[in-house]
Amino acid sequence: MTQTDTQPQEKQFPVLEGAENITIDNLTARVKKLDEEGYRLLTATCLDRGEKYEIYYHFDKDLTMLHLRLLVNKEEEVPSLSLIYLCAFLIENEMKELFGVKFSGLFVNYGGRLFLGEDSDITPMLKCVDC
Amino acid sequence: MANFLGAVIENLFKKPATRPYPFTKREPFKDARGLIKFDGDKCVYCGACSKKCPAAAIRVERAEKALYFEPFKCVTCGFCVEVCPKDAINQEFEYRKPDYSKSIEKYGPSAVPAPAKTEAPPSQA
Amino acid sequence: MSTRTVIPMGPQHPVFPEPLQLKLSLKDEKIVDVAPALGYVHRGIEKAAEKNDFTQNVFLVERICGICSFIHAVCYCMAIEDIMKIELPPRANYLRVIWGELHRLHSHMLWLGLLADSFGFESLFMKFWEIRERILDILEKTTGARVIISACAIGGVRRDISDEHLQEILTVIDKCEKELNGIIPVVMSDTTVKRRTVGVGVIEKEKAIHLGIVGPVLRASGIAQDARMTGYGAYKYLDFKPVVEESGDCYARAVVRAKETYQSIGLLRKAINQLPSGDILTKYKGNPGKAAAVSRVEQPRGELIYYVEGNGTKNLERVRVRTPTFSNVPALSKMLPGMELADAPVIVLSIDPCISCTER
C-alpha cells in the first residue's frame, strides 16, 4: 500500500503493514459493515504526527487482524464508535485524555478525567507536552 | 461441603505450610537475583551499566573514578551484570535488607574503602 | 421507592487487590447502574517507554503487571523481533512457553483463591494459595525471582533451565495436580459455591463481541477465542485447544479457569518433553528501524496486544499496550445491573480485574 499523502512534514512515518486507509466520512459506515461481518474491535492506537493524529483501529475475526488507518487534523472531530461497539468508550476516552483527540457522540464521557488528576491540564502523550 | 471434608480432616493433622519466619529462615535459592555489589578495583568506569540500568540507579563519574549506586532504586534485574565488560559487578543471592534511610553507596578504587555511605546527592535525574 | 442510592464500591475494598472504584446506583438492593472510576494507579508507562532505550523497556513493561509480568515482556519482545526481523532459537521459544504457562498457572490459582475469599470460603482460599507458593518457588529457582522474573530478552531468553530443574518442574506440577484434584471439585460442584455463582453476571454470546470482552470471560460465553490459537512461539507445536463454556455466568468463568489450570499443566508436560536443545539467545545489532508491528499473546486474563513503532534510534516512537482488563471493564456495566448488591464483589472478581494493567 503506497502512502502518497500530501504530508507537509519532512519526517516520514512508517505505515503498519496491511493497514487499510480510511477517512472520517466513511469510518462509521466501514465499521458498521465490519460489525455485521462479525469482527471484534480489539483496540485503537493513537499516534501524534505533528499536525495530525494517526489513529489505527485494530479488528479481529477468526484470528486474523484487520487494521484501519485514519489520519485526521488535530482540530477535526472524530465520530465515536461507542454506539456500534460499546467497548470503544473506554478506548476513546483514553485517547481524548492523553492525546486531546476530539470525539463526537461519546457514549460515556469522562470529560478527560479518566486517568489524570482533577487539576491536570496537559495531554501527556503528545510529543511536545506543553504545546 | 462433603467435597471439602477430606481437606479439612487432612488440615487438622498436617504440619503448617508456613515457617515461623524470624526464627527459621529459608536459605536463598542458588542464582536468585538479590543485592548488587560492585568491585571498585576491577571496574574501569566505562559507564556501560549506568547507560543500561532501567531504573537509573547507577551513576558513573569517569573523571573522579567513582561509581554511585542507589540500592533503593535498583530493581535487581541483573542487566548491569550482563553488560559489564570487566565482570566487576556481582549479584548476590540475598535480598536487600530494609533500612531507615535511602542510602547511596559509593565505589571507587581500593584506596576508598568500599562501600562507603556518602551524603552527596547522586544525580539530578 | 423511586429514589436511588449511590454506593461507592472501592477504591479500597476487601475483594479488590488493587484500587478501582465502582459507583453503584441502587434501587433497594438491586443495582440499576454502574460507573467505573479509574485513575488511582496510572503511572504513565507508555510515555516512559518512549523515553527509554528499547532494551530497557523489556524490564519496564514487565512492571505493568505484577502477576503476568513475563507475558508482557514476551509480547513486547515479539513486536521488537518482528520489526528487527530476529529469528528466535527453538529452545528459547519453548522456554518462553514454559515460563508463560507457569505464570498462567499461578495466576489462575491466585484467582481461584480470591474467588473463594470473595464469598467467604477462607480455608479454600488458603488451600489454593498454598499450592501457588510451590509454583512461585520453582519460578524463583529457575529465574531468580518470584513473580517479576525478568527472564525474557529481545532475541530469546536470558536464562536456561537445567535438566535438573526441568525434572523438578515435572515433579512439582505432578504434586500440584494431585492436590488440585482434591479441591477443584469443591469449586465445580459444591452447592454453596454454585448458589453464589450460577446465573450471576451473565453475558450472552450475542452481546459478548460488542462488549469487547476477551480471555476466560469471552470463552465462558461460548466463543472459542484464545491468542494461543494463532500459534505464536512454540504453541504451534503443542496442539492447543481452547477451553470453552456456554453459560456465560460467574460459574462458567470459574470453570474455564479451573480447566485451564489442568490445561496449563498438560502444556507444560508437553513442552518439557519436546524441549529442543541449543542456543537460547540470538544476537542482534543496531536499533529498531522505521517500522511498526502489532503482536498479541494470551495472558491469564485474556488477550494482550502491543503496538510498537520504531524510528531508527534507540528510543521508540510509540509503545501502545492494550491489556485484557482494559477491554473487560466495560462489560461490568452490562453484568452488574439487575443483580443484588451482595453479588457485586463476586461479579467484579469474575473478570479477574488487574487495575495496574488497565491504567499502565
Side-chain angles (χ1 to χ4, degrees):
Chain A
M1 206 165 286
T2 47
Q3 179 51 47
T4 51
D5 270 4
T6 52
Q7 274 194 20
Q9 303 103 318
E10 65 280 5
K11 227 173 152 186
Q12 273 301 308
F13 294 107
V15 178
L16 190 63
E17 213 179 292
E20 180 185 322
N21 281 331
I22 208 147
T23 59
I24 294 187
D25 304 320
N26 64 10
L27 171 70
T28 328
R30 183 80 182 95
V31 173
K32 270 211 176 97
K33 196 150 166 285
L34 287 177
D35 176 29
E36 281 159 19
E37 287 169 24
Y39 275 86
R40 272 186 326 128
L41 174 66
L42 297 179
T43 189
T45 305
C46 184
L47 295 119
D48 177 17
R49 301 300 200 198
E51 304 279 292
K52 289 183 173 183
Y53 291 118
E54 186 174 346
I55 303 175
Y56 283 107
Y57 291 97
H58 309 283
F59 291 87
D60 165 275
K61 189 191 178 184
D62 300 335
L63 305 174
T64 334
M65 275 174 126
L66 183 114
H67 314 286
L68 301 182
R69 175 172 177 267
L70 174 74
L71 266 176
V72 285
N73 287 324
K74 286 204 169 163
E75 318 75 64
E76 276 181 293
E77 277 200 347
V78 182
S80 167
L81 302 184
S82 52
L83 289 178
I84 309 172
Y85 289 98
L86 180 84
C87 55
F89 84 84
L90 209 56
I91 304 166
E92 286 172 348
N93 269 300
E94 191 198 343
M95 280 197 259
K96 180 181 165 159
E97 177 173 31
L98 300 182
F99 283 92
V101 187
K102 295 182 181 72
F103 284 100
S104 57
L106 259 180
F107 183 64
V108 183
N109 197 339
Y110 280 89
R113 290 291 161 268
L114 181 62
F115 292 152
L116 302 180
E118 294 293 331
D119 50 351
S120 162
D121 55 353
I122 55 164
T123 43
M125 287 300 289
L126 291 182
K127 288 285 161 195
C128 138
V129 172
D130 301 326
C131 47
Chain B
M1 281 310 237
N3 278 322
F4 202 59
L5 208 59
V8 172
I9 294 167
E10 195 194 321
N11 277 349
L12 280 175
F13 300 101
K14 215 171 66 170
K15 273 199 308 183
T18 47
R19 275 179 297 275
Y21 167 65
F23 311 108
T24 333
K25 282 180 188 166
R26 191 195 71 186
E27 280 294 302
F29 290 126
K30 200 180 155 292
D31 294 334
R33 295 199 316 270
L35 283 166
I36 299 279
K37 291 279 175 215
F38 295 84
D39 188 330
D41 288 324
K42 271 191 189 171
C43 180
V44 290
Y45 304 93
C46 65
C49 50
S50 78
K51 279 191 203 107
K52 288 290 179 190
C53 178
I58 311 170
R59 188 174 61 110
V60 176
E61 289 293 336
R62 220 170 171 167
E64 68 174 283
K65 283 210 165 196
L67 187 147
Y68 297 90
F69 173 60
E70 292 175 70
F72 284 86
K73 268 192 184 173
C74 175
V75 294
T76 65
C77 64
F79 203 20
C80 49
V81 185
E82 243 172 58
V83 297
C84 183
K86 293 284 169 193
D87 281 341
I89 310 175
N90 188 22
Q91 188 153 30
E92 292 176 8
F93 306 149
E94 290 269 353
Y95 293 134
R96 181 171 57 236
K97 295 270 183 306
D99 207 343
Y100 286 106
S101 63
K102 293 186 178 178
S103 58
I104 295 150
E105 290 169 9
K106 183 185 176 183
Y107 293 89
S110 51
V112 187
K117 288 186 180 178
T118 70
E119 299 298 310
S123 65
Q124 310 81 317
Chain C
M1 279 285 279
S2 60
T3 46
R4 288 182 175 188
T5 323
V6 177
I7 292 193
M9 185 181 175
Q12 301 298 329
H13 189 280
V15 300
F16 293 161
E18 289 169 282
L20 164 75
Q21 190 181 36
L22 294 169
K23 290 183 183 120
L24 304 172
S25 302
L26 302 182
K27 208 172 170 185
D28 294 337
E29 282 284 296
K30 283 257 185 294
I31 299 167
V32 285
D33 196 16
V34 56
L38 301 162
Y40 294 96
V41 282
H42 177 60
R43 293 152 291 166
I45 286 187
E46 285 184 10
K47 187 74 185 173
E50 287 173 18
K51 307 264 176 197
N52 271 0
D53 189 331
F54 73 100
T55 48
Q56 294 174 341
N57 279 343
V58 183
F59 305 107
L60 179 70
V61 296
E62 265 194 326
R63 280 157 179 83
I64 290 177
C65 181
I67 302 293
C68 30
S69 60
F70 178 72
I71 305 175
H72 268 280
V74 168
C75 195
Y76 172 78
C77 290
M78 275 168 61
I80 294 279
E81 284 150 11
D82 194 4
I83 292 175
M84 299 178 73
K85 306 271 180 289
I86 303 170
E87 196 66 39
L88 249 70
R91 189 177 172 90
N93 268 330
Y94 273 91
L95 290 177
R96 281 183 182 185
V97 167
I98 291 172
W99 280 317
E101 288 304 321
L102 282 171
H103 266 265
R104 192 178 324 276
L105 207 51
H106 91 71
S107 172
H108 280 346
M109 227 79 94
L110 175 127
W111 183 83
L112 286 164
L114 287 178
L115 177 80
D117 188 42
S118 79
F119 43 69
F121 204 155
E122 289 285 333
S123 45
L124 186 58
F125 159 69
M126 292 291 182
K127 268 313 236 202
F128 274 116
W129 280 41
E130 186 191 337
I131 302 172
R132 177 175 178 256
E133 205 56 35
R134 301 210 175 90
I135 296 160
L136 293 180
D137 276 355
I138 194 79
L139 277 173
E140 188 172 358
K141 271 181 201 165
T142 51
T143 64
R146 277 161 60 88
V147 181
I148 302 191
I149 60 174
S150 299
C152 199
I154 296 165
V157 288
R158 291 171 72 205
R159 285 196 185 193
D160 204 349
I161 306 184
S162 65
D163 289 343
E164 184 192 329
H165 278 146
L166 287 174
Q167 277 311 316
E168 198 174 338
I169 295 179
L170 286 174
T171 27
V172 166
I173 57 174
D174 281 347
K175 201 174 171 203
C176 285
E177 191 180 24
K178 221 175 107 207
E179 284 182 45
L180 282 173
N181 284 337
I183 54 173
I184 291 273
V186 182
V187 180
M188 309 263 257
S189 60
D190 201 281
T191 40
T192 46
V193 178
K194 275 191 160 175
R195 280 195 173 186
R196 293 300 305 272
T197 52
V198 174
V200 173
V202 180
I203 287 193
E204 294 88 2
K205 196 172 179 176
E206 300 78 49
K207 278 190 197 160
I209 286 184
H210 284 109
L211 287 169
I213 51 176
V214 294
V217 189
L218 186 59
R219 292 196 282 280
S221 292
I223 297 176
Q225 209 288 329
D226 191 310
R228 284 175 287 174
M229 285 154 76
T230 59
Y232 69 86
Y235 283 109
K236 51 181 166 291
Y237 310 115
L238 295 177
D239 187 27
F240 173 79
K241 295 265 182 315
V243 179
V244 183
E245 283 289 318
E246 294 296 329
S247 58
D249 52 6
C250 289
Y251 179 69
R253 283 165 221 144
V255 172
V256 165
R257 291 194 175 96
K259 286 186 179 165
E260 278 187 6
T261 53
Y262 286 116
Q263 186 190 38
S264 289
I265 291 176
L267 285 171
L268 274 169
R269 286 207 187 104
K270 253 188 206 169
I272 291 173
N273 286 333
Q274 294 179 12
L275 185 67
S277 53
D279 279 349
I280 54 161
L281 196 64
T282 311
K283 289 264 184 283
Y284 62 93
K285 277 211 169 75
N287 294 322
K290 278 193 179 181
V294 178
S295 64
R296 57 171 166 171
V297 299
E298 188 76 11
Q299 261 193 350
R301 289 168 180 75
E303 182 182 44
L304 171 74
I305 300 170
Y306 269 65
Y307 172 94
V308 177
E309 187 179 312
N311 56 4
T313 65
K314 63 175 184 161
N315 300 100
L316 295 168
E317 184 77 17
R318 177 92 166 94
V319 180
R320 159 92 170 119
V321 188
R322 203 297 310 267
T323 53
T325 310
F326 189 80
S327 27
N328 281 338
V329 162
L332 285 178
S333 60
K334 281 279 175 285
M335 285 181 195
L336 284 167
M339 290 289 143
E340 301 268 323
L341 176 63
D343 287 329
V346 178
I347 296 172
V348 176
L349 203 76
S350 75
I351 67 160
D352 200 355
C354 177
I355 309 305
S356 294
C357 272
T358 311
E359 302 181 8
R360 303 175 300 278

